[in-house]
Amino acid sequence: MSDYEDSLADVKSGNTPIIPESGVSGFSLAIVIGVLAFLAGIALTGFFAVDAAVSGWSGELTGTITVQVRGMTPEEIRIGADAAEEILRSTEGLSNVTRLPQEEAEALLEPWLGMDNLPDDLPLPVLITADVTPELRADLGSLRQTLVEAVPSASLNDHGAWTDQLVAAASRIRGLAFMAFVLVILASSAVIVFAARAGLAAHRNIVEVLHLVGATDSFIAQQIGNRYLMLGLVGGSVGALAAWLATKFLAVVTGDAGGFLPAFSIDAGTAVWLLSIPILLGGLSTIAARVAVLRALRGEDRYVA
Amino acid sequence: MVTDQNSQAIVTFEDVHLTYDGVREVLRGTDFTLRPGDFRFLTGPSGAGKTSLLKLIYAAHRPTTGRVEVFGNDLLDMPSEEMPKLRRRIGVVFQEFRLLDHLTAFENVALPMRVLGVNPNSYRDDVIELLSWVGLAHRIDAPPTVLSGGEKQRVALARALVSKPDLILADEPTGNVDPVMGEKIMRLLLELNRLGTAIIVATHDLGLVRGLKQNILRLKDGKVTLHGPIPDETPAREPEGAQ
Ligand SMILES: Nc1ncnc2c1ncn2[C@@H]1O[C@H](COP(=O)(O)OP(=O)(O)O)[C@@H](O)[C@H]1O
Ligand SMILES: [Mg+2]
């Protein structure tokens, strides 16, 4: 048996990456990418949490209106309240019109005036609540006018000013969170561009040999770019997982906020979105590295030593 | 299409000057032509500029002035995208080997095929056969860092041949091997030449040149002159330039 046949059987080599690992995509770079992925994950979860909260608030706080009827005497108030209730019941878009029982109104005052200290003729205002459709809520002007014309002492409150401000503020936060996400992703691409250029410089001699044996620039860019695919995938996964655990922890800690605000929670949908981070980082890293290398090679003298 | 003598040439040098760092004039008006099937020894003492001349051919240097044409491309106004195509037609045995230390002997030899992006199975056997032929069957998985100078030289030779190039440039290809291996390598190059490959072997070793009955490009004082084979009985010294 010849040497040749012997060796055919057991060649082990063949697939060593043409650009070696060192200097191109080290451990420290993986950590940087992991941290950036974590920040991107936090920003993304923030975005979805605020988004969910906004729709929660809009639903919970804007679904009702309250009409308050005041007056000098209980009798005057009762007549006004009857008239107002009548108008509300006959208005398209309102349902569930409920007058707050007198006892409840009194109960509300108890802490201040003490039990049984309420004089019978105290002119307590009457509160009437009703559920409102979104269409009507958007334009309460004519209802408010009809009401005030019929019952001058009535005032209509739709909680709108407060909710609008809350929603507006939350929307701004949501916008900021998304911007932070985009910026962090862009920052990681920039990091990769720097690393790829440094890697190219560190492997000058290899790149020269590759050129001399007929490699195209895009082949070399591909070899270097491939080094960053795994980096982006692994760094991105670790970072995104850490972000998921961190927000999960936050959700548990702040889960019971006294029922005042709708729950700040991480749903399955957000978790799926977090999965996009490693994929996004892997893809962007590969592309960023390739483009960086291609541009660097294109800009240099073709004649190598 | 009219094919005059010039358009058939593989390599044409016209009044080529090469000056390093603006002061060191290595080539001073070099003219020569290489045609398909030509075999040339490129001789001259160390420092004469043999390596520099070969570098001009495989476009690692550009001439300071003059014209270098390779496979019909004027190297000075050739678009850089064309460069890989040109280099794939040239197999170079570099004087300093230029092997990649993180790859094995097998992978180094396979490199010119790998950059083509073809299926590894299509060249795997060729690579192993070449390595076996140069006596390195037992070193297939060894990195250059553990190979001797002679072994590295043979890996470099195998890499230059693997893509079956139209032109082989061998820079002192026997400088680090024993005489028996040296002769074996020369016989292989002559056989490849007989099959049609154009070859330039740069060497300062006239012992190698003698007896092989091949034409000689003699590089002296920055100029090249063409000579016939050195007769066997000539003593081992530089042939005199054409008077
Ligand atoms: N890249 C370079 N920069 C400056 N000088 C060089 C360079 N390469 C070679 N030289 C000089 O040019 C001369 C010719 O070198 P070289 O072409 O290697 O000759 P040879 O191969 O015939 O020994 C030498 O004096 C050498 O020092
Ligand atoms: Mg030399």
Side-chain angles (χ1 to χ4, degrees):
Chain A
M1 190 150 154
S2 72
D3 266 2
Y4 169 51
E5 283 160 30
D6 239 3
S7 46
L8 262 186
D10 53 31
V11 178
K12 291 168 212 57
S13 53
N15 300 313
T16 312
I18 292 178
I19 304 290
E21 187 120 14
S22 64
V24 180
S25 55
F27 183 63
S28 46
L29 188 57
I31 291 187
V32 171
I33 294 300
V35 168
L36 288 172
F38 173 77
L39 294 177
I42 295 290
L44 198 62
T45 338
F47 172 82
F48 282 108
V50 173
D51 193 57
V54 167
S55 18
W57 291 332
S58 308
E60 288 173 29
L61 293 174
T62 64
T64 59
I65 58 166
T66 310
V67 173
Q68 185 182 48
V69 183
R70 272 175 297 242
M72 301 304 286
T73 63
E75 180 63 8
E76 182 191 343
I77 290 170
R78 194 186 55 73
I79 292 166
D82 287 347
E85 190 178 338
E86 193 52 42
I87 290 170
L88 294 183
R89 285 194 192 285
S90 60
T91 303
E92 184 94 9
L94 292 179
S95 57
N96 231 342
V97 178
T98 320
R99 200 194 285 211
L100 192 69
Q102 196 64 18
E103 305 85 64
E104 276 187 40
E106 285 172 6
L108 284 173
L109 288 175
E110 254 177 34
W112 287 276
L113 298 180
M115 214 194 300
D116 300 331
N117 280 347
L118 301 175
D120 281 348
D121 58 349
L122 190 68
L124 282 179
V126 166
L127 292 175
I128 308 164
T129 64
D131 291 349
V132 62
T133 60
E135 299 82 57
L136 181 59
R137 190 202 170 264
D139 183 21
L140 284 171
S142 63
L143 173 62
R144 184 170 276 129
Q145 198 180 347
T146 317
L147 206 56
V148 173
E149 271 168 16
V151 189
S153 67
S155 63
L156 185 151
N157 190 340
D158 64 352
H159 317 291
W162 189 67
T163 333
D164 284 352
Q165 278 177 25
L166 198 62
V167 168
S171 300
R172 278 194 294 274
I173 292 173
R174 182 176 55 179
L176 280 177
F178 190 72
M179 211 156 86
F181 171 75
V182 171
L183 287 177
V184 169
I185 294 292
L186 285 180
S188 35
S189 305
V191 168
I192 296 292
V193 166
F194 285 122
R197 287 209 200 120
L200 186 67
H203 296 302
R204 206 55 280 175
N205 58 327
I206 296 175
V207 171
E208 268 180 30
V209 171
L210 289 175
H211 272 144
L212 289 175
V213 300
T216 58
D217 287 355
S218 50
F219 176 84
I220 295 168
Q222 191 185 335
Q223 298 306 309
I224 295 182
N226 289 348
R227 291 315 271 119
Y228 293 94
L229 176 62
M230 278 316 281
L231 183 83
L233 284 178
V234 173
S237 304
V238 172
L241 182 70
W244 187 71
L245 291 175
T247 45
K248 195 93 186 149
F249 176 72
L250 194 70
V252 169
V253 168
T254 64
D256 185 18
F260 170 60
L261 291 177
F264 179 87
S265 66
I266 314 293
D267 56 6
T270 309
V272 171
W273 273 99
L274 283 176
L275 263 182
S276 74
I277 291 179
I279 296 166
L280 203 59
L281 281 181
L284 273 181
S285 299
T286 315
I287 294 168
R290 275 196 202 191
V291 171
V293 170
L294 264 186
R295 294 190 55 163
L297 290 177
R298 210 156 274 162
E300 76 186 20
D301 196 342
R302 204 40 40 137
Y303 293 82
V304 295
Chain B
M1 191 68 208
V2 184
T3 51
D4 59 19
Q5 281 205 320
N6 239 11
S7 72
Q8 282 174 3
I10 289 181
V11 179
T12 310
F13 272 46
E14 276 175 20
D15 195 24
V16 172
H17 290 251
L18 179 65
T19 307
Y20 284 118
D21 311 319
V23 288
R24 188 165 193 96
E25 234 187 326
V26 176
L27 300 182
R28 313 172 187 199
T30 306
D31 294 278
F32 77 91
T33 305
L34 190 78
R35 293 177 204 290
D38 280 355
F39 188 107
R40 296 284 184 271
F41 280 113
L42 178 63
T43 66
S46 263
K50 302 181 295 295
T51 300
S52 301
L53 189 149
L54 294 185
K55 282 182 176 177
L56 286 171
I57 300 177
Y58 62 81
H61 285 336
R62 78 175 89 230
T64 311
T65 61
R67 227 164 87 87
V68 175
E69 216 179 271
V70 182
F71 293 119
N73 304 283
D74 184 338
L75 290 196
L76 271 186
D77 55 40
M78 181 183 167
S80 58
E81 306 88 72
E82 298 293 316
M83 207 73 98
K85 262 188 243 162
L86 179 86
R87 285 177 171 154
R88 285 169 187 181
R89 300 182 67 180
I90 308 176
V92 185
V93 186
F94 302 97
Q95 187 171 7
E96 68 282 26
F97 317 137
R98 306 203 74 150
L99 301 176
L100 299 184
D101 283 344
H102 67 291
L103 301 183
T104 64
F106 177 92
E107 289 162 343
N108 268 288
V109 174
L111 197 61
M113 302 309 292
R114 201 161 161 193
V115 304
L116 295 178
V118 297
N119 183 351
N121 290 328
S122 69
Y123 54 78
R124 189 173 171 278
D125 292 356
D126 290 349
V127 171
I128 294 168
E129 192 180 347
L130 268 169
L131 278 169
S132 305
W133 193 89
V134 296
L136 292 175
H138 60 298
R139 299 301 244 166
I140 273 178
D141 288 318
T145 44
V146 305
L147 298 180
S148 72
E151 288 173 325
K152 283 192 250 195
Q153 186 147 51
R154 286 179 271 158
V155 174
L157 175 71
R159 182 181 63 186
L161 305 183
V162 72
S163 58
K164 303 181 175 71
D166 299 322
L167 170 62
I168 293 171
L169 305 175
D171 198 354
E172 314 274 4
T174 58
N176 293 273
V177 297
D178 61 76
V180 175
M181 180 50 77
E183 209 192 310
K184 199 177 164 197
I185 288 174
M186 288 315 302
R187 270 196 278 110
L188 172 69
L189 290 175
L190 287 170
E191 178 62 17
L192 288 172
N193 174 247
R194 209 182 53 78
L195 295 173
T197 311
I199 295 179
I200 300 179
V201 177
T203 180
H204 65 274
D205 176 11
L206 291 175
L208 187 75
V209 179
R210 197 177 318 107
L212 288 179
K213 309 254 184 307
Q214 298 298 328
N215 289 328
I216 295 165
L217 288 171
R218 182 169 176 243
L219 184 54
K220 196 186 176 197
D221 300 329
K223 294 192 187 251
V224 158
T225 44
L226 179 63
H227 299 262
I230 311 178
D232 278 349
E233 58 273 18
T234 308
R237 60 184 183 89
E238 276 280 283
E240 292 308 315
Q243 303 303 313

